[in-house]
Structures are given as structure tokens and as C-alpha cells.
Amino acid sequence: MTRTARLLRASTAMALLSPLLTAAPALAQSATAQSPTGQSATTQAAPAAVPTYSMGAVTATADRTEKAAIDTTAPVSVRTSEELDRTMPSTVTDLLSGIPGVTAYQTAGQPGTKINIRGLQDFGRVNVMVDGARQNFQRSSHGQNTTVFIDPDLIGQVDVVRGPSAVVYGSGAIGGIVNFQTKDAKDLLRKGQTFGGQVTGIYGDNSAERRGAISGYAVADWADVVASVSGSDRGNFKGGDGKKIDASGWESTSAFGKITLTPNDDHQLRLSALRSTFDYTAGTGATADKLETDTDTFTLRHRFTPESTRLVDLTTNLTYSETDQNETRVGTTSNGRKTQVKVTTPGIDIFNTSRFETGSVGHALTIGGDAFHDEVTATRGTGALEFTPGGNRTIAGAYVQDEVALTERLSLIGAVRFDSYEMESETLSAEDTALSPKVTLGYTVVPGVQVYGSWAQAFRAPSITETLISGTHPAPAPFRFVPNPGLRPETAENLEMGTNVKFGDVLMPRDRLQWKTSVYQSEVEDYINQYFNMVRSGGTVNYAASTYGYRNEAEVTLRGVESEVVYDAGFAYAGLTLTNARGKNNLTGKKLTSGLGSRASLTLGVRDRSNGLDGGWKMDGRLGLEDAHASDDGAQAGGYLLHGLYVGYTPPELDDRLTLRVSVDNLFDTEYRDRLKADSLEQGRTIKAGGTIRF
């Protein structure tokens, strides 16, 4: 056993043995949720002196009905703005750090992020959204595939649903859902304010990172308005060995606006617009490329909740997202060559929840449907882009779900979803349909302890690239790309058991403990995987006869355990998340490595509210990377253990007008990798200092 493995397992064991350590930063008070019977089911709120809790934060991502994450009979995690702000996240990877079952990857110098849940990623297996708008950009190339481009400075909450349990939230998400929610004015206003503004600046020493944002916001009885502009500039960073990584920096700018109108108790209308631009360089020397990626996201959401009836709670969400990536070759090979990939995705999502009783049984019946259309344009020079074909894809679905309160202790969720898809290019087309059911049974053993079991199926239509890829790879390896219009959709079947535990006054008066755990096994049939059929003639590769494409393979099995615990005593808090995930290809028997292995994240913090102090220590560790990396350069490819520190200071005499923060990531300058290929080292020790002025 390596030293890293011993340290990680020892740290994890210590955390599990101590109730003070088995907890996490808790940031959101348990909110009043509407039970299926229509009666107000109010969870016990923490006193004002105690912060709110992340697992108590309200989310509707899993079931469409608003409830606290700890009360959701699904593997859900929520990160709130207070929790995110502590360590001044620079990337989407930072936003998702420590969430069980989730791995986020970024290639050095690539602001786009690949998100993996429970070993599944790429081509929509994880449905990534901003305010409910799908982010479907996909470009296949050496070492990259599906990536999302999001400015972390604009995100106020992150909701994650793991596995194919959210039947009501869109097609294709057999891995799970990540919904990034942008900030509202109420997230930014100081106590007692109705309008204001703030300026934030952050500096990171490792890459000379400079970030800044200016925001203005206002609220009234009928309106909530926020507008923000932000920018960042980071140079090449240094790995844990102290050496700079070429082409690892980027620049970005963003503009964001949101207005929420509530003219009366029946109607709410929200309009948001977000635009970000990322400039960066990929590669060096003869293959260097200059890239600019522009992203636009627009949403228009209307909610109708007439007080006169409980049968109508109607939400309509119109969305539009566009990612336009332009690349120019600046090296000596094909100097000046232009490449463009543009993906536009308009969508609609409409659903209604009716609350009623049949005898003593309460119901929350949700009926809805959604649809989106991907249009992909991909060119290189004057022709098609070899790895990423252009084309169109339309996916539409409808569903019905009933949340049933059978008794005070026993609940049932039954749902079924129907999906259809069709896609086409200039020469090929494909279409299919699928039905996806779900059943979840929850039982409250004693007050504060709930167990649940769930069985769900989900469906993912093949992507445009997987189905329609065609053409010839550029020299010196001119093998052929072969389309496969006969690709069958992937279907996932998931069995899950979980527990939700929440107690107060555990170790001392007014403290809170919340613990959410799940055990799962997923079988993915007709798993779509790439192949390369290399043909040799006389000991040499015959590229003209070799082919590359995508095909259905036999079943893939994924299984694991995830646990998330939070504890808060007001003056101190702590947290632990654990993940143990494994997977294999049942056809070949080969185990999967993508996003799997064992991970742990531990946080210990203290706060002194009277003096405006909040600080702590974080540990992140991972095992099970042996098959993903080579370690001949001294990097800890088989696993790693990282440490970090953070502290925030809000002088009470300034009435929350100023917050200063300092954090240290990778405290001991550890050499490690967190990606699937033997790429560059991850960032070494980084000291960040930042401040926010509110007025």
C-alpha cells in the first residue's frame, strides 16, 4: 500500500469515527416544503445565530416539486453561494469539488470542463444546464469531447442529481443532472437593503490569476433585478514540480442580467441572459491553435400558481443556448487554417403539478413535456470537420409522475416517461422511441430517519457525432470515419437504496446533523463506445483499410456507495463526502476507469460571528487511478491527497460592507493528475486573496 493510500484511508477512518468530523459546511436552513397532501410540511429551522444548510437548501431538480435535498428520496447534492464563495472557485471543477459521485476534468489551458457522474460522461449522458437551459456543446478531438463553458463567478447554487433517477428532467441523462443556477438579487443584497452593488477582486499567485466582477441589484415587492459583468486573466500555471505548463492560461469576459417580475400572487415571470467569451491557446509549436469560444444562454420562465386552486401549479420555461468555437492555426503547420464548431439548442419545458387527496391519500401529480433541437455546424477550412459532423437532432418527451403520501411514514413516487428522437445530416438520418419508468418507495423509520429504495430506467439517444461521423482522418494517418445510422439507444436500469438522516441537539443545544447515503447498481445496455479497426499489411498499418466509428457494445455495469454528512454547531462545522465506485464492460470483462475509484473530501471549519471570522481546512483524496495514468515521471498517478486552507473576514463594524478572503489550494505542492490520460500535472500550490466591497 502506498503512503498516499495509507494517509487517505487513515484520514477517512478518523473522520468516520468522530461525529464532530462526519459533517460538512452547512449553509441553508430547512425550507418550508409543500407535502403531497397540500399541507405545509415545515422542517425545523435553525436559529438565526446558526447558518443555513446545503442539504437543507430547496431544490426541485429531482422531482419538480420543491423540497430540501435532505428530504428528497433521490441521490441529490446542493451547493449554495455561501459555501461556494469560501474558496473563491476559479473553474467549474472548483464548483463541483467534493460532491460525491462527481468528477470534473479540465485539460491544461482548456476553460471547458468535462463532467462525469458515476463513471458516465460525454454525449449528453450527464445533462448539464444553466437555469434549466441545456449546454449541449460537443466537439470530438484528440483528448477531448463534450465540454461545458461556464463562468463560476455568476453561479449562486449548484444542484446535482446522480444516476437516472430524474425521469421528469429531460431525456438522455443516464449519468445524472447538473443544474447551475445563476445568482438572484436576494443572494447579494445586504440585510435591510432594497438596492445596492458590489465589486469583487481576486488574485491567485500560481498563474498570476486576476479576476474581477461588478454587480448591481435591486428588489421591490414585484421585481428582483440583477446585472453583472466579470473578467479574468490567468497565465501559465505551475504544477506541483514547480515547472510551468505551456499554454495553460486563458482570458474570459462575461455579462449577465436577470429580472424576476411578480405582479401578483398568481404569476411570476423570469427573464435571464448570459454571455461569456473565453480566449485561449491549445498546443505549442507547429500545432498551436488560438481559440475563442463564445457562449450565450437565454431563459424565459413563467410560473402560474392561482390561489383559488391547488390543481394548478404550471411552469413554462423557454430556453436557448449557443456555443460558437472558432479556432485559428497559428503554428507552422497549416498556418492560418480556420475551424469552427457551433451548436445551438433551443428548448421548451412545460409541466403542471396538481395537489389533491383521494380519501386519506395525498397526491402531487405532475404532468409535463419537454423538447430541444440541436443544430451543429462544424467546418475546417473549406470542408467538413473530420471528428465532428454537422447535422440536426430533435428530442421530445412527455411524462407523468405521482408523489403519493400513503401514510404519515410511507411515501411512493411512480413515474413514466416517453421519448422520441430523430436526427439527420445531408446524407443520413435515424430515429427511435423509448419508454422509461421509475418507482421509489420511502419510509420514515423514526422521526428524522428515512430509508428509500428506487428502481428506474432511462434512455439516451445516440448523438450526432456517434451516428453520423464520416470522412477521412488527415494525413499521415488517413483512416476512414464510418457512420452508423443503425446505432441503438442506450438504456440504463438503476437500483438504488438510500437513507436520509437529520437530527438537532445532537451534541449540544441548537446543533444540526444531516447525513445522506446511497448504494446503487446500474446496468447500461447497448452502451455506445468508439472503436478503431486497425488493419495491418506486411507488418505496417494500412490506414486506407482501417476504420474508426461508434458501435453498440454489451452491457456495462456500474456500482458504488456515496455518502454525504453535514454537522453544524454554530461556532464550528465539519463535513465529509465519500465515494466508492466501480464499473466494468461485461463483454470484455475490462474494468472502466472513467471517473471511478475511491474519493473522500473532508472539511473542518470554525466561525466567530461576533468578529466576522470564518475559516477552515479541507482535504481531498482519491484512489484507484492506477489504470488511468502512468507514474514513471514521479507523479502520484495511483492516488493523491490534497490539503487546503481558507479564511474569510467580514468586519462587523462595517455592517457587511466588506469581506476579505484568503485561501490556499494544494497546500503541500503535491504532484498529481486528475485526468484520464498521461497529460500535464495539475496545478501546484496556489494562494488566492480576494475582497468584496458592497454599497
Side-chain angles (χ1 to χ4, degrees):
M1 184 182 297
T2 65
R3 178 175 179 271
T4 299
R6 289 194 297 269
L7 286 172
L8 176 56
R9 292 180 180 177
S11 299
T12 302
M14 290 175 63
L16 288 171
L17 289 173
S18 171
L20 287 173
L21 299 181
T22 55
L27 305 172
Q29 277 183 345
S30 299
T32 300
Q34 189 74 17
S35 72
T37 63
Q39 299 174 348
S40 178
T42 306
T43 57
Q44 187 175 4
V50 179
T52 53
Y53 302 99
S54 59
M55 282 198 289
V58 173
T59 176
T61 302
D63 299 319
R64 292 296 199 188
T65 53
E66 295 180 349
K67 56 174 70 73
I70 191 63
D71 298 323
T72 304
T73 52
V76 178
S77 293
V78 176
R79 294 294 181 266
T80 59
S81 59
E82 184 179 349
E83 187 174 4
L84 297 173
D85 288 345
R86 279 184 176 139
T87 54
M88 297 175 285
S90 300
T91 63
V92 172
T93 300
D94 295 337
L95 292 176
L96 299 174
S97 175
I99 297 179
V102 179
T103 303
Y105 303 103
Q106 285 184 262
T107 304
Q110 165 67 272
T113 304
K114 181 192 296 285
I115 299 175
N116 180 297
I117 298 181
R118 292 183 172 180
L120 295 172
Q121 63 188 35
D122 290 336
F123 300 119
R125 293 185 177 102
V126 176
N127 180 10
V128 181
M129 298 175 288
V130 174
D131 289 338
R134 282 176 172 260
Q135 306 298 303
N136 283 1
F137 178 77
Q138 184 271 319
R139 175 183 175 180
S140 295
S141 182
H142 294 289
Q144 69 171 356
N145 214 306
T146 304
T147 52
V148 295
F149 295 82
I150 298 171
D151 185 346
D153 289 327
L154 305 178
I155 302 303
Q157 180 169 311
V158 182
D159 293 358
V160 175
V161 183
R162 298 178 292 276
S165 58
V167 171
V168 297
Y169 225 120
S171 172
I174 64 174
I177 293 169
V178 181
N179 189 20
F180 295 95
Q181 299 186 40
T182 53
K183 294 179 179 179
D184 293 314
K186 65 179 183 296
D187 299 324
L188 303 170
L189 283 168
R190 294 163 44 231
K191 185 177 180 180
Q193 275 189 319
T194 56
F195 65 92
Q198 70 177 37
V199 177
T200 297
I202 297 172
Y203 177 78
D205 72 324
N206 187 303
S207 61
E209 176 188 15
R210 298 178 297 276
R211 290 164 43 209
I214 302 175
S215 302
Y217 32 83
V219 296
D221 291 340
W222 54 274
D224 180 310
V225 181
V226 59
S228 180
V229 293
S230 62
S232 70
D233 182 1
R234 55 178 282 173
N236 294 337
F237 68 75
K238 292 181 290 186
D241 59 358
K243 299 178 181 179
K244 283 194 174 184
I245 309 299
D246 291 336
S248 59
W250 68 74
E251 298 177 3
S252 69
T253 57
S254 295
F256 164 67
K258 179 192 288 187
I259 180 169
T260 303
L261 304 176
T262 311
N264 53 51
D265 292 337
D266 292 350
H267 295 273
Q268 184 184 74
L269 184 69
R270 186 188 70 195
L271 173 65
S272 68
L274 168 63
R275 179 176 178 82
S276 297
T277 297
F278 301 85
D279 295 307
Y280 51 103
T281 300
T284 59
T287 59
D289 296 315
K290 182 68 176 178
L291 292 99
E292 178 181 305
T293 301
D294 300 319
T295 67
D296 295 283
T297 300
F298 303 95
T299 65
L300 177 62
R301 180 181 184 269
H302 176 257
R303 186 174 183 184
F304 178 48
T305 54
E307 290 187 341
S308 59
T309 178
R310 293 164 49 219
L311 297 179
V312 179
D313 185 348
L314 177 65
T315 299
T316 303
N317 199 23
L318 302 176
T319 64
Y320 178 86
S321 63
E322 177 180 296
T323 302
D324 187 0
Q325 186 176 89
N326 289 274
E327 176 183 332
T328 303
R329 175 62 54 86
V330 295
T332 57
T333 303
S334 303
N335 189 24
R337 184 184 64 187
K338 304 288 187 179
T339 300
Q340 182 189 36
V341 180
K342 183 178 181 180
V343 179
T344 60
T345 307
I348 183 172
D349 181 10
I350 183 169
F351 61 95
N352 180 75
T353 300
S354 300
R355 295 174 174 85
F356 58 92
E357 291 82 32
T358 54
S360 61
V361 177
H363 299 263
L365 179 65
T366 301
I367 300 175
D370 49 69
F372 67 90
H373 176 77
D374 285 334
E375 182 175 349
V376 180
T377 304
T379 58
R380 172 171 287 170
T382 58
L385 180 61
E386 297 87 355
F387 293 99
T388 304
N392 295 275
R393 180 177 68 153
T394 301
I395 296 181
Y399 58 86
V400 58
Q401 172 182 276
D402 195 6
E403 297 182 64
V404 185
L406 297 171
T407 68
E408 289 186 0
R409 293 191 174 189
L410 185 63
S411 64
L412 172 69
I413 299 177
V416 63
R417 178 182 180 87
F418 173 80
D419 281 297
S420 68
Y421 77 90
E422 58 182 30
M423 67 180 69
E424 61 180 2
S425 66
E426 293 182 357
T427 57
L428 297 170
S429 63
E431 61 182 26
D432 208 339
T433 61
L435 203 65
S436 304
K438 167 190 171 181
V439 178
T440 300
L441 193 65
Y443 182 71
T444 301
V445 181
V446 295
V449 179
Q450 182 185 45
V451 297
Y452 67 88
S454 178
W455 171 80
Q457 289 186 337
F459 153 91
R460 183 185 76 88
S463 69
I464 292 173
T465 292
E466 291 169 311
T467 307
L468 306 178
I469 189 171
S470 63
T472 302
H473 187 280
F479 56 84
R480 292 181 296 116
F481 295 112
V482 180
N484 188 353
L487 271 180
R488 297 182 299 278
E490 294 176 341
T491 56
E493 182 175 8
N494 188 68
L495 289 172
E496 189 133 9
M497 296 184 64
T499 59
N500 298 326
V501 177
K502 56 178 181 179
F503 290 116
D505 301 329
V506 179
L507 300 175
M508 59 189 68
R510 304 200 306 181
D511 67 357
R512 296 293 184 271
L513 173 68
Q514 297 180 346
W515 180 16
K516 197 171 181 72
T517 297
S518 59
V519 181
Y520 68 89
Q521 176 170 305
S522 291
E523 308 282 352
V524 183
E525 294 185 354
D526 291 323
Y527 184 78
I528 300 173
N529 204 2
Q530 62 190 25
Y531 71 88
F532 181 42
N533 181 24
M534 182 183 294
V535 178
R536 293 183 178 273
S537 301
T540 60
V541 178
N542 183 352
Y543 285 110
S546 300
T547 55
Y548 176 99
Y550 294 86
R551 64 190 176 196
N552 293 105
E553 294 191 353
E555 198 172 68
V556 170
T557 300
L558 301 157
R559 57 174 60 92
V561 180
E562 298 160 348
S563 187
E564 183 173 11
V565 193
V566 298
Y567 174 82
D568 202 303
F571 68 92
Y573 55 89
L576 176 70
T577 65
L578 295 172
T579 302
N580 183 51
R582 297 290 183 268
K584 69 174 182 178
N585 185 320
N586 295 340
L587 175 66
T588 64
K590 184 178 180 180
K591 67 179 181 179
L592 306 178
T593 58
S594 174
L596 301 175
S598 300
R599 309 195 73 158
S601 178
L602 176 65
T603 301
L604 299 175
V606 295
R607 63 170 69 87
D608 181 354
R609 288 190 176 275
S610 61
N611 291 305
L613 289 169
D614 184 347
W617 164 77
K618 290 188 67 176
M619 181 276 288
D620 292 285
R622 183 173 180 183
L623 295 173
L625 291 175
E626 291 85 352
D627 294 333
H629 302 298
S631 57
D632 53 4
D633 61 355
Q636 297 183 25
Y640 57 80
L641 187 63
L642 306 178
H643 300 267
L645 301 171
Y646 63 89
V647 63
Y649 176 51
T650 304
E653 61 271 17
L654 296 181
D655 192 26
D656 202 31
R657 288 185 172 87
L658 173 67
T659 297
L660 301 175
R661 297 187 186 277
V662 176
S663 68
V664 183
D665 299 328
N666 195 356
L667 178 63
F668 298 113
D669 227 6
T670 301
E671 298 178 35
Y672 76 105
R673 291 186 174 92
D674 202 15
R675 296 186 294 277
L676 298 183
K677 295 185 180 296
D679 209 329
S680 62
L681 294 177
E682 305 292 346
Q683 192 159 308
R685 180 170 49 245
T686 302
I687 301 173
K688 295 180 187 177
T692 297
I693 300 174
R694 306 174 186 88
F695 49 88

